[in-house]
Amino acid sequence: MAGIDFNIMLIGFMGTGKSTIANMLKEKLQVEQIEMDTLIAQEAGMSISKIFETFGEEHFRDLETEMLRKFQEKKPVVVSCGGGVVLRDENIHIMKGQGKIVLLTAEPDTIYERVKNSNARPILNGNMNVEYISSLMEKRRARYESAADITVATDGKTVEEICQEIIGAVK
Ligand code: S3P
């Protein structure tokens, strides 16, 4: 399937593979890929951790909402969203208006293995363990599920298989 005329917004908990999947989808669909966190950090001139530390989480969430609005003009793109983008109803509304929202899921153990050596995620700083990941995931579960048009469980699947599943579902 070459080309799409809508945005694909990849959502899901930290470490569910949004960036990796977006990177392959971009090749398969021949569209631009956007890393939301990277772009926010670029525009702010500081890392996500530094934004949290300097201005607090609410400010970061405001930057996320502003950034999401800009993707309307960029259509069609594949966007790898920050894991907390579903926390605001407004964000879900903006994303729904731009295309398909694809939720990637993974087991807490899988997530822990992927994120344990990174200190780039302020939400997990000081809470880097499976129990915390599992409880935060549970807290957010309903929001992820209600935002999603398509849900893909990623455990035990290759990047290729996940992309095929997404492409098959969004067509
Ligand atoms: C966050 C997830 C991060 C980043 C920020 C907050 C969250 O993105 O936006 O650290 O609240 O889940 P990734 O999901 O890309 O790690």
Side-chain angles (χ1 to χ4, degrees):
M1 176 189 171
I4 43 171
D5 59 2
F6 50 84
N7 289 350
I8 294 180
M9 320 293 287
L10 295 174
I11 64 165
F13 202 81
M14 295 164 267
T16 46
K18 293 165 294 201
S19 305
T20 309
I21 300 302
N23 201 36
M24 189 182 261
L25 277 180
K26 145 190 109 176
E27 300 296 335
K28 292 190 175 295
L29 298 170
Q30 293 292 297
V31 293
E32 195 193 327
Q33 170 197 5
I34 296 177
E35 282 293 317
M36 214 172 136
D37 278 347
T38 306
L39 213 55
I40 290 174
Q42 261 170 21
E43 289 199 1
M46 63 179 86
S47 69
I48 301 297
S49 296
K50 195 80 191 158
I51 298 173
F52 268 68
E53 193 186 309
T54 313
F55 302 110
E57 180 172 350
E58 268 315 289
H59 179 74
F60 173 72
R61 300 299 174 199
D62 289 341
L63 297 180
E64 280 190 316
T65 304
E66 262 173 51
M67 183 61 72
L68 276 175
R69 287 209 186 88
K70 294 185 190 167
F71 300 150
Q72 176 68 22
E73 286 100 67
K74 298 208 174 263
K75 232 191 269 184
V77 284
V78 175
V79 182
S80 168
C81 297
V85 89
V86 294
L87 296 176
R88 287 188 178 178
D89 289 342
E90 185 184 2
N91 293 354
I92 297 173
H93 180 74
I94 295 168
M95 291 192 288
K96 290 254 181 229
Q98 292 181 12
K100 307 273 187 198
I101 304 180
V102 178
L103 170 63
L104 301 181
T105 67
E107 293 303 319
D109 291 316
T110 311
I111 295 202
Y112 174 71
E113 286 305 318
R114 289 184 186 151
V115 302
K116 67 180 179 188
N117 294 321
S118 160
N119 56 7
R121 294 180 173 93
I123 298 282
L124 296 179
N125 285 351
N127 293 307
M128 192 57 88
N129 57 71
V130 178
E131 292 70 30
Y132 184 80
I133 288 171
S134 185
S135 73
L136 184 57
M137 202 189 273
E138 272 315 308
K139 245 199 223 161
R140 290 183 175 180
R141 181 187 298 280
R143 297 205 63 84
Y144 283 126
E145 289 177 355
S146 72
D149 295 309
I150 296 144
T151 301
V152 179
T154 63
D155 287 281
K157 290 178 191 159
T158 64
V159 174
E160 174 72 33
E161 284 168 340
I162 295 164
C163 287
Q164 289 306 341
E165 209 173 312
I166 295 171
I167 290 169
V170 299
K171 264 200 263 190

PDB file of all heavy atoms in Angstrom, residues 6-12 16 18 21 25 78-79 81 86 95-96 99-105 144 147-154 162-163 165-167 169-170:
ATOM      1  N   PHE A   6      -4.355  10.534   5.080  1.00  0.00           N
ATOM      2  CA  PHE A   6      -4.702  10.933   6.459  1.00  0.00           C
ATOM      3  C   PHE A   6      -3.456  10.706   7.321  1.00  0.00           C
ATOM      4  O   PHE A   6      -2.498  10.068   6.860  1.00  0.00           O
ATOM      5  CB  PHE A   6      -5.871  10.097   6.976  1.00  0.00           C
ATOM      6  CG  PHE A   6      -5.689   8.611   6.775  1.00  0.00           C
ATOM      7  CD1 PHE A   6      -4.973   7.849   7.687  1.00  0.00           C
ATOM      8  CD2 PHE A   6      -6.214   7.965   5.647  1.00  0.00           C
ATOM      9  CE1 PHE A   6      -4.788   6.488   7.497  1.00  0.00           C
ATOM     10  CE2 PHE A   6      -6.029   6.594   5.457  1.00  0.00           C
ATOM     11  CZ  PHE A   6      -5.318   5.862   6.378  1.00  0.00           C
ATOM     12  N   ASN A   7      -3.485  11.217   8.530  1.00  0.00           N
ATOM     13  CA  ASN A   7      -2.358  10.969   9.443  1.00  0.00           C
ATOM     14  C   ASN A   7      -2.565   9.663  10.203  1.00  0.00           C
ATOM     15  O   ASN A   7      -3.705   9.301  10.523  1.00  0.00           O
ATOM     16  CB  ASN A   7      -2.217  12.111  10.452  1.00  0.00           C
ATOM     17  CG  ASN A   7      -1.708  13.394   9.816  1.00  0.00           C
ATOM     18  OD1 ASN A   7      -1.281  13.397   8.664  1.00  0.00           O
ATOM     19  ND2 ASN A   7      -1.756  14.484  10.563  1.00  0.00           N
ATOM     20  N   ILE A   8      -1.466   8.999  10.486  1.00  0.00           N
ATOM     21  CA  ILE A   8      -1.512   7.857  11.404  1.00  0.00           C
ATOM     22  C   ILE A   8      -0.830   8.319  12.689  1.00  0.00           C
ATOM     23  O   ILE A   8       0.332   8.732  12.676  1.00  0.00           O
ATOM     24  CB  ILE A   8      -0.799   6.618  10.823  1.00  0.00           C
ATOM     25  CG1 ILE A   8      -1.563   6.110   9.599  1.00  0.00           C
ATOM     26  CG2 ILE A   8      -0.687   5.518  11.889  1.00  0.00           C
ATOM     27  CD1 ILE A   8      -0.948   4.878   8.940  1.00  0.00           C
ATOM     28  N   MET A   9      -1.590   8.298  13.782  1.00  0.00           N
ATOM     29  CA  MET A   9      -1.071   8.738  15.071  1.00  0.00           C
ATOM     30  C   MET A   9      -0.824   7.496  15.922  1.00  0.00           C
ATOM     31  O   MET A   9      -1.770   6.797  16.283  1.00  0.00           O
ATOM     32  CB  MET A   9      -2.087   9.644  15.786  1.00  0.00           C
ATOM     33  CG  MET A   9      -2.832  10.633  14.897  1.00  0.00           C
ATOM     34  SD  MET A   9      -1.802  11.918  14.200  1.00  0.00           S
ATOM     35  CE  MET A   9      -1.496  12.930  15.618  1.00  0.00           C
ATOM     36  N   LEU A  10       0.426   7.220  16.199  1.00  0.00           N
ATOM     37  CA  LEU A  10       0.751   6.059  17.033  1.00  0.00           C
ATOM     38  C   LEU A  10       0.762   6.484  18.492  1.00  0.00           C
ATOM     39  O   LEU A  10       1.495   7.405  18.874  1.00  0.00           O
ATOM     40  CB  LEU A  10       2.122   5.504  16.652  1.00  0.00           C
ATOM     41  CG  LEU A  10       2.239   4.916  15.247  1.00  0.00           C
ATOM     42  CD1 LEU A  10       3.677   4.532  14.953  1.00  0.00           C
ATOM     43  CD2 LEU A  10       1.337   3.702  15.079  1.00  0.00           C
ATOM     44  N   ILE A  11      -0.078   5.841  19.282  1.00  0.00           N
ATOM     45  CA  ILE A  11      -0.140   6.149  20.711  1.00  0.00           C
ATOM     46  C   ILE A  11       0.178   4.882  21.507  1.00  0.00           C
ATOM     47  O   ILE A  11       0.168   3.776  20.957  1.00  0.00           O
ATOM     48  CB  ILE A  11      -1.520   6.716  21.138  1.00  0.00           C
ATOM     49  CG1 ILE A  11      -2.638   5.667  20.947  1.00  0.00           C
ATOM     50  CG2 ILE A  11      -1.840   8.015  20.400  1.00  0.00           C
ATOM     51  CD1 ILE A  11      -3.944   6.014  21.673  1.00  0.00           C
ATOM     52  N   GLY A  12       0.420   5.058  22.789  1.00  0.00           N
ATOM     53  CA  GLY A  12       0.680   3.906  23.645  1.00  0.00           C
ATOM     54  C   GLY A  12       1.659   4.278  24.733  1.00  0.00           C
ATOM     55  O   GLY A  12       2.300   5.333  24.680  1.00  0.00           O
ATOM     56  N   THR A  16       6.426   1.113  24.052  1.00  0.00           N
ATOM     57  CA  THR A  16       5.632   0.140  23.293  1.00  0.00           C
ATOM     58  C   THR A  16       6.109   0.056  21.837  1.00  0.00           C
ATOM     59  O   THR A  16       5.553  -0.704  21.046  1.00  0.00           O
ATOM     60  CB  THR A  16       4.113   0.468  23.325  1.00  0.00           C
ATOM     61  OG1 THR A  16       3.934   1.863  23.062  1.00  0.00           O
ATOM     62  CG2 THR A  16       3.489   0.106  24.653  1.00  0.00           C
ATOM     63  N   LYS A  18       6.558   2.809  19.583  1.00  0.00           N
ATOM     64  CA  LYS A  18       5.953   3.780  18.648  1.00  0.00           C
ATOM     65  C   LYS A  18       6.963   4.318  17.618  1.00  0.00           C
ATOM     66  O   LYS A  18       6.667   4.387  16.432  1.00  0.00           O
ATOM     67  CB  LYS A  18       5.330   4.958  19.426  1.00  0.00           C
ATOM     68  CG  LYS A  18       4.124   4.562  20.276  1.00  0.00           C
ATOM     69  CD  LYS A  18       3.788   5.641  21.285  1.00  0.00           C
ATOM     70  CE  LYS A  18       4.894   5.777  22.296  1.00  0.00           C
ATOM     71  NZ  LYS A  18       4.637   6.364  23.550  1.00  0.00           N
ATOM     72  N   ILE A  21       8.135   1.579  15.097  1.00  0.00           N
ATOM     73  CA  ILE A  21       7.070   1.243  14.150  1.00  0.00           C
ATOM     74  C   ILE A  21       6.854   2.405  13.171  1.00  0.00           C
ATOM     75  O   ILE A  21       6.711   2.198  11.960  1.00  0.00           O
ATOM     76  CB  ILE A  21       5.752   0.909  14.896  1.00  0.00           C
ATOM     77  CG1 ILE A  21       5.948  -0.287  15.841  1.00  0.00           C
ATOM     78  CG2 ILE A  21       4.601   0.657  13.918  1.00  0.00           C
ATOM     79  CD1 ILE A  21       6.415  -1.557  15.178  1.00  0.00           C
ATOM     80  N   LEU A  25       6.878   2.259   9.128  1.00  0.00           N
ATOM     81  CA  LEU A  25       5.639   2.649   8.419  1.00  0.00           C
ATOM     82  C   LEU A  25       5.926   3.748   7.398  1.00  0.00           C
ATOM     83  O   LEU A  25       5.374   3.767   6.306  1.00  0.00           O
ATOM     84  CB  LEU A  25       4.593   3.155   9.411  1.00  0.00           C
ATOM     85  CG  LEU A  25       3.728   2.132  10.138  1.00  0.00           C
ATOM     86  CD1 LEU A  25       2.759   2.856  11.065  1.00  0.00           C
ATOM     87  CD2 LEU A  25       2.971   1.223   9.163  1.00  0.00           C
ATOM     88  N   VAL A  78       3.107  10.110   9.489  1.00  0.00           N
ATOM     89  CA  VAL A  78       3.005   9.129  10.568  1.00  0.00           C
ATOM     90  C   VAL A  78       3.625   9.791  11.789  1.00  0.00           C
ATOM     91  O   VAL A  78       4.788  10.210  11.745  1.00  0.00           O
ATOM     92  CB  VAL A  78       3.783   7.832  10.237  1.00  0.00           C
ATOM     93  CG1 VAL A  78       3.746   6.886  11.428  1.00  0.00           C
ATOM     94  CG2 VAL A  78       3.208   7.156   9.021  1.00  0.00           C
ATOM     95  N   VAL A  79       2.844   9.906  12.858  1.00  0.00           N
ATOM     96  CA  VAL A  79       3.326  10.587  14.052  1.00  0.00           C
ATOM     97  C   VAL A  79       3.525   9.595  15.195  1.00  0.00           C
ATOM     98  O   VAL A  79       2.618   8.832  15.523  1.00  0.00           O
ATOM     99  CB  VAL A  79       2.321  11.670  14.535  1.00  0.00           C
ATOM    100  CG1 VAL A  79       2.888  12.399  15.753  1.00  0.00           C
ATOM    101  CG2 VAL A  79       1.988  12.659  13.423  1.00  0.00           C
ATOM    102  N   CYS A  81       3.603   9.596  18.833  1.00  0.00           N
ATOM    103  CA  CYS A  81       3.182  10.535  19.896  1.00  0.00           C
ATOM    104  C   CYS A  81       3.844  10.198  21.229  1.00  0.00           C
ATOM    105  O   CYS A  81       4.202   9.049  21.479  1.00  0.00           O
ATOM    106  CB  CYS A  81       1.669  10.449  20.094  1.00  0.00           C
ATOM    107  SG  CYS A  81       0.717  10.943  18.646  1.00  0.00           S
ATOM    108  N   VAL A  86      -2.687  10.993  25.496  1.00  0.00           N
ATOM    109  CA  VAL A  86      -4.111  10.673  25.695  1.00  0.00           C
ATOM    110  C   VAL A  86      -4.683  11.270  26.981  1.00  0.00           C
ATOM    111  O   VAL A  86      -5.882  11.146  27.240  1.00  0.00           O
ATOM    112  CB  VAL A  86      -4.352   9.140  25.730  1.00  0.00           C
ATOM    113  CG1 VAL A  86      -4.041   8.511  24.387  1.00  0.00           C
ATOM    114  CG2 VAL A  86      -3.539   8.479  26.846  1.00  0.00           C
ATOM    115  N   MET A  95      -6.518  14.666  17.467  1.00  0.00           N
ATOM    116  CA  MET A  95      -5.989  13.512  16.724  1.00  0.00           C
ATOM    117  C   MET A  95      -7.069  12.837  15.884  1.00  0.00           C
ATOM    118  O   MET A  95      -6.834  12.451  14.749  1.00  0.00           O
ATOM    119  CB  MET A  95      -5.370  12.498  17.694  1.00  0.00           C
ATOM    120  CG  MET A  95      -4.095  12.990  18.346  1.00  0.00           C
ATOM    121  SD  MET A  95      -3.194  11.683  19.213  1.00  0.00           S
ATOM    122  CE  MET A  95      -4.230  11.416  20.622  1.00  0.00           C
ATOM    123  N   LYS A  96      -8.263  12.722  16.457  1.00  0.00           N
ATOM    124  CA  LYS A  96      -9.379  12.079  15.735  1.00  0.00           C
ATOM    125  C   LYS A  96      -9.681  12.822  14.440  1.00  0.00           C
ATOM    126  O   LYS A  96     -10.077  12.222  13.442  1.00  0.00           O
ATOM    127  CB  LYS A  96     -10.651  12.057  16.596  1.00  0.00           C
ATOM    128  CG  LYS A  96     -10.587  11.113  17.765  1.00  0.00           C
ATOM    129  CD  LYS A  96     -11.419   9.869  17.528  1.00  0.00           C
ATOM    130  CE  LYS A  96     -11.380   8.936  18.719  1.00  0.00           C
ATOM    131  NZ  LYS A  96     -11.073   7.554  18.351  1.00  0.00           N
ATOM    132  N   GLY A  99      -6.918  11.778  11.417  1.00  0.00           N
ATOM    133  CA  GLY A  99      -6.705  10.462  10.800  1.00  0.00           C
ATOM    134  C   GLY A  99      -6.987   9.328  11.747  1.00  0.00           C
ATOM    135  O   GLY A  99      -7.906   9.391  12.554  1.00  0.00           O
ATOM    136  N   LYS A 100      -6.166   8.299  11.646  1.00  0.00           N
ATOM    137  CA  LYS A 100      -6.380   7.087  12.438  1.00  0.00           C
ATOM    138  C   LYS A 100      -5.449   7.052  13.643  1.00  0.00           C
ATOM    139  O   LYS A 100      -4.254   7.317  13.520  1.00  0.00           O
ATOM    140  CB  LYS A 100      -6.084   5.850  11.593  1.00  0.00           C
ATOM    141  CG  LYS A 100      -6.822   5.810  10.283  1.00  0.00           C
ATOM    142  CD  LYS A 100      -8.175   5.185  10.429  1.00  0.00           C
ATOM    143  CE  LYS A 100      -8.792   5.013   9.056  1.00  0.00           C
ATOM    144  NZ  LYS A 100     -10.212   4.809   9.063  1.00  0.00           N
ATOM    145  N   ILE A 101      -6.033   6.683  14.774  1.00  0.00           N
ATOM    146  CA  ILE A 101      -5.242   6.555  15.998  1.00  0.00           C
ATOM    147  C   ILE A 101      -4.965   5.071  16.244  1.00  0.00           C
ATOM    148  O   ILE A 101      -5.894   4.268  16.373  1.00  0.00           O
ATOM    149  CB  ILE A 101      -5.984   7.167  17.209  1.00  0.00           C
ATOM    150  CG1 ILE A 101      -6.346   8.636  16.922  1.00  0.00           C
ATOM    151  CG2 ILE A 101      -5.140   7.039  18.471  1.00  0.00           C
ATOM    152  CD1 ILE A 101      -7.092   9.331  18.049  1.00  0.00           C
ATOM    153  N   VAL A 102      -3.688   4.737  16.248  1.00  0.00           N
ATOM    154  CA  VAL A 102      -3.289   3.337  16.407  1.00  0.00           C
ATOM    155  C   VAL A 102      -2.614   3.165  17.764  1.00  0.00           C
ATOM    156  O   VAL A 102      -1.594   3.796  18.051  1.00  0.00           O
ATOM    157  CB  VAL A 102      -2.311   2.916  15.287  1.00  0.00           C
ATOM    158  CG1 VAL A 102      -1.853   1.476  15.483  1.00  0.00           C
ATOM    159  CG2 VAL A 102      -2.949   3.097  13.913  1.00  0.00           C
ATOM    160  N   LEU A 103      -3.206   2.305  18.584  1.00  0.00           N
ATOM    161  CA  LEU A 103      -2.657   2.037  19.919  1.00  0.00           C
ATOM    162  C   LEU A 103      -1.747   0.813  19.887  1.00  0.00           C
ATOM    163  O   LEU A 103      -2.150  -0.258  19.433  1.00  0.00           O
ATOM    164  CB  LEU A 103      -3.815   1.794  20.905  1.00  0.00           C
ATOM    165  CG  LEU A 103      -3.460   1.265  22.291  1.00  0.00           C
ATOM    166  CD1 LEU A 103      -2.593   2.266  23.059  1.00  0.00           C
ATOM    167  CD2 LEU A 103      -4.723   0.937  23.092  1.00  0.00           C
ATOM    168  N   LEU A 104      -0.516   0.995  20.358  1.00  0.00           N
ATOM    169  CA  LEU A 104       0.400  -0.137  20.516  1.00  0.00           C
ATOM    170  C   LEU A 104       0.429  -0.516  21.991  1.00  0.00           C
ATOM    171  O   LEU A 104       0.530   0.363  22.854  1.00  0.00           O
ATOM    172  CB  LEU A 104       1.816   0.247  20.061  1.00  0.00           C
ATOM    173  CG  LEU A 104       1.967   0.714  18.612  1.00  0.00           C
ATOM    174  CD1 LEU A 104       3.426   1.043  18.306  1.00  0.00           C
ATOM    175  CD2 LEU A 104       1.445  -0.331  17.622  1.00  0.00           C
ATOM    176  N   THR A 105       0.321  -1.815  22.259  1.00  0.00           N
ATOM    177  CA  THR A 105       0.376  -2.262  23.659  1.00  0.00           C
ATOM    178  C   THR A 105       1.525  -3.261  23.840  1.00  0.00           C
ATOM    179  O   THR A 105       1.965  -3.889  22.869  1.00  0.00           O
ATOM    180  CB  THR A 105      -0.943  -2.926  24.116  1.00  0.00           C
ATOM    181  OG1 THR A 105      -1.117  -4.155  23.392  1.00  0.00           O
ATOM    182  CG2 THR A 105      -2.136  -2.022  23.886  1.00  0.00           C
ATOM    183  N   TYR A 144      -6.284   5.196  26.849  1.00  0.00           N
ATOM    184  CA  TYR A 144      -5.683   4.660  25.616  1.00  0.00           C
ATOM    185  C   TYR A 144      -6.749   3.943  24.793  1.00  0.00           C
ATOM    186  O   TYR A 144      -6.859   4.140  23.587  1.00  0.00           O
ATOM    187  CB  TYR A 144      -4.569   3.658  25.946  1.00  0.00           C
ATOM    188  CG  TYR A 144      -3.264   4.281  26.396  1.00  0.00           C
ATOM    189  CD1 TYR A 144      -2.663   3.904  27.592  1.00  0.00           C
ATOM    190  CD2 TYR A 144      -2.605   5.241  25.619  1.00  0.00           C
ATOM    191  CE1 TYR A 144      -1.456   4.461  28.012  1.00  0.00           C
ATOM    192  CE2 TYR A 144      -1.402   5.800  26.027  1.00  0.00           C
ATOM    193  CZ  TYR A 144      -0.840   5.406  27.221  1.00  0.00           C
ATOM    194  OH  TYR A 144       0.354   5.952  27.633  1.00  0.00           O
ATOM    195  N   ALA A 147      -9.373   6.151  23.101  1.00  0.00           N
ATOM    196  CA  ALA A 147      -8.843   6.997  22.009  1.00  0.00           C
ATOM    197  C   ALA A 147      -8.607   6.189  20.739  1.00  0.00           C
ATOM    198  O   ALA A 147      -8.699   6.727  19.628  1.00  0.00           O
ATOM    199  CB  ALA A 147      -7.528   7.646  22.450  1.00  0.00           C
ATOM    200  N   ALA A 148      -8.318   4.905  20.888  1.00  0.00           N
ATOM    201  CA  ALA A 148      -7.816   4.115  19.756  1.00  0.00           C
ATOM    202  C   ALA A 148      -8.869   3.733  18.716  1.00  0.00           C
ATOM    203  O   ALA A 148      -9.982   3.343  19.063  1.00  0.00           O
ATOM    204  CB  ALA A 148      -7.179   2.840  20.295  1.00  0.00           C
ATOM    205  N   ASP A 149      -8.494   3.864  17.442  1.00  0.00           N
ATOM    206  CA  ASP A 149      -9.316   3.299  16.360  1.00  0.00           C
ATOM    207  C   ASP A 149      -8.903   1.848  16.133  1.00  0.00           C
ATOM    208  O   ASP A 149      -9.707   1.005  15.764  1.00  0.00           O
ATOM    209  CB  ASP A 149      -9.081   4.075  15.054  1.00  0.00           C
ATOM    210  CG  ASP A 149      -9.563   5.515  15.148  1.00  0.00           C
ATOM    211  OD1 ASP A 149     -10.727   5.706  15.549  1.00  0.00           O
ATOM    212  OD2 ASP A 149      -8.782   6.440  14.851  1.00  0.00           O
ATOM    213  N   ILE A 150      -7.626   1.599  16.311  1.00  0.00           N
ATOM    214  CA  ILE A 150      -7.062   0.269  16.070  1.00  0.00           C
ATOM    215  C   ILE A 150      -6.096  -0.031  17.213  1.00  0.00           C
ATOM    216  O   ILE A 150      -5.337   0.850  17.619  1.00  0.00           O
ATOM    217  CB  ILE A 150      -6.248   0.273  14.754  1.00  0.00           C
ATOM    218  CG1 ILE A 150      -7.162   0.561  13.561  1.00  0.00           C
ATOM    219  CG2 ILE A 150      -5.466  -1.016  14.539  1.00  0.00           C
ATOM    220  CD1 ILE A 150      -6.485   1.393  12.510  1.00  0.00           C
ATOM    221  N   THR A 151      -6.130  -1.272  17.718  1.00  0.00           N
ATOM    222  CA  THR A 151      -5.179  -1.651  18.780  1.00  0.00           C
ATOM    223  C   THR A 151      -4.340  -2.828  18.305  1.00  0.00           C
ATOM    224  O   THR A 151      -4.873  -3.812  17.786  1.00  0.00           O
ATOM    225  CB  THR A 151      -5.935  -2.045  20.070  1.00  0.00           C
ATOM    226  OG1 THR A 151      -6.730  -0.928  20.479  1.00  0.00           O
ATOM    227  CG2 THR A 151      -4.979  -2.412  21.192  1.00  0.00           C
ATOM    228  N   VAL A 152      -3.037  -2.716  18.474  1.00  0.00           N
ATOM    229  CA  VAL A 152      -2.152  -3.798  18.087  1.00  0.00           C
ATOM    230  C   VAL A 152      -1.294  -4.198  19.293  1.00  0.00           C
ATOM    231  O   VAL A 152      -0.533  -3.384  19.825  1.00  0.00           O
ATOM    232  CB  VAL A 152      -1.227  -3.379  16.905  1.00  0.00           C
ATOM    233  CG1 VAL A 152      -0.289  -4.513  16.525  1.00  0.00           C
ATOM    234  CG2 VAL A 152      -2.055  -2.945  15.701  1.00  0.00           C
ATOM    235  N   ALA A 153      -1.438  -5.459  19.710  1.00  0.00           N
ATOM    236  CA  ALA A 153      -0.590  -5.991  20.789  1.00  0.00           C
ATOM    237  C   ALA A 153       0.740  -6.371  20.151  1.00  0.00           C
ATOM    238  O   ALA A 153       0.769  -7.060  19.129  1.00  0.00           O
ATOM    239  CB  ALA A 153      -1.262  -7.210  21.408  1.00  0.00           C
ATOM    240  N   THR A 154       1.832  -5.883  20.724  1.00  0.00           N
ATOM    241  CA  THR A 154       3.125  -6.033  20.048  1.00  0.00           C
ATOM    242  C   THR A 154       3.986  -7.181  20.569  1.00  0.00           C
ATOM    243  O   THR A 154       4.933  -7.572  19.900  1.00  0.00           O
ATOM    244  CB  THR A 154       3.942  -4.724  20.192  1.00  0.00           C
ATOM    245  OG1 THR A 154       4.206  -4.506  21.587  1.00  0.00           O
ATOM    246  CG2 THR A 154       3.205  -3.540  19.612  1.00  0.00           C
ATOM    247  N   ILE A 162       3.929  -6.188  12.813  1.00  0.00           N
ATOM    248  CA  ILE A 162       3.125  -5.110  13.414  1.00  0.00           C
ATOM    249  C   ILE A 162       2.720  -4.103  12.343  1.00  0.00           C
ATOM    250  O   ILE A 162       1.559  -3.673  12.271  1.00  0.00           O
ATOM    251  CB  ILE A 162       3.917  -4.426  14.558  1.00  0.00           C
ATOM    252  CG1 ILE A 162       4.151  -5.429  15.701  1.00  0.00           C
ATOM    253  CG2 ILE A 162       3.195  -3.187  15.071  1.00  0.00           C
ATOM    254  CD1 ILE A 162       5.229  -5.014  16.696  1.00  0.00           C
ATOM    255  N   CYS A 163       3.668  -3.752  11.473  1.00  0.00           N
ATOM    256  CA  CYS A 163       3.358  -2.777  10.405  1.00  0.00           C
ATOM    257  C   CYS A 163       2.301  -3.339   9.453  1.00  0.00           C
ATOM    258  O   CYS A 163       1.388  -2.628   9.043  1.00  0.00           O
ATOM    259  CB  CYS A 163       4.624  -2.408   9.632  1.00  0.00           C
ATOM    260  SG  CYS A 163       5.706  -1.363  10.600  1.00  0.00           S
ATOM    261  N   GLU A 165       0.009  -5.456  10.128  1.00  0.00           N
ATOM    262  CA  GLU A 165      -1.270  -5.452  10.842  1.00  0.00           C
ATOM    263  C   GLU A 165      -1.880  -4.043  10.795  1.00  0.00           C
ATOM    264  O   GLU A 165      -3.083  -3.884  10.550  1.00  0.00           O
ATOM    265  CB  GLU A 165      -1.027  -5.878  12.299  1.00  0.00           C
ATOM    266  CG  GLU A 165      -2.206  -6.578  12.932  1.00  0.00           C
ATOM    267  CD  GLU A 165      -1.872  -7.134  14.314  1.00  0.00           C
ATOM    268  OE1 GLU A 165      -0.820  -7.799  14.480  1.00  0.00           O
ATOM    269  OE2 GLU A 165      -2.680  -6.915  15.235  1.00  0.00           O
ATOM    270  N   ILE A 166      -1.047  -3.040  11.012  1.00  0.00           N
ATOM    271  CA  ILE A 166      -1.540  -1.663  11.006  1.00  0.00           C
ATOM    272  C   ILE A 166      -2.027  -1.276   9.614  1.00  0.00           C
ATOM    273  O   ILE A 166      -3.130  -0.739   9.449  1.00  0.00           O
ATOM    274  CB  ILE A 166      -0.449  -0.679  11.494  1.00  0.00           C
ATOM    275  CG1 ILE A 166      -0.110  -0.944  12.968  1.00  0.00           C
ATOM    276  CG2 ILE A 166      -0.872   0.770  11.277  1.00  0.00           C
ATOM    277  CD1 ILE A 166       1.095  -0.189  13.496  1.00  0.00           C
ATOM    278  N   ILE A 167      -1.211  -1.572   8.614  1.00  0.00           N
ATOM    279  CA  ILE A 167      -1.564  -1.184   7.246  1.00  0.00           C
ATOM    280  C   ILE A 167      -2.863  -1.873   6.818  1.00  0.00           C
ATOM    281  O   ILE A 167      -3.762  -1.256   6.260  1.00  0.00           O
ATOM    282  CB  ILE A 167      -0.402  -1.486   6.272  1.00  0.00           C
ATOM    283  CG1 ILE A 167       0.764  -0.523   6.560  1.00  0.00           C
ATOM    284  CG2 ILE A 167      -0.844  -1.351   4.822  1.00  0.00           C
ATOM    285  CD1 ILE A 167       2.074  -0.850   5.873  1.00  0.00           C
ATOM    286  N   ALA A 169      -5.249  -2.773   8.701  1.00  0.00           N
ATOM    287  CA  ALA A 169      -6.384  -2.241   9.458  1.00  0.00           C
ATOM    288  C   ALA A 169      -6.765  -0.817   9.051  1.00  0.00           C
ATOM    289  O   ALA A 169      -7.938  -0.446   9.146  1.00  0.00           O
ATOM    290  CB  ALA A 169      -6.061  -2.286  10.946  1.00  0.00           C
ATOM    291  N   VAL A 170      -5.821  -0.018   8.632  1.00  0.00           N
ATOM    292  CA  VAL A 170      -6.151   1.377   8.306  1.00  0.00           C
ATOM    293  C   VAL A 170      -6.662   1.558   6.881  1.00  0.00           C
ATOM    294  O   VAL A 170      -7.224   2.585   6.551  1.00  0.00           O
ATOM    295  CB  VAL A 170      -4.970   2.381   8.537  1.00  0.00           C
ATOM    296  CG1 VAL A 170      -4.533   2.410   9.978  1.00  0.00           C
ATOM    297  CG2 VAL A 170      -3.812   2.120   7.597  1.00  0.00           C
TER     298      VAL A 170
END
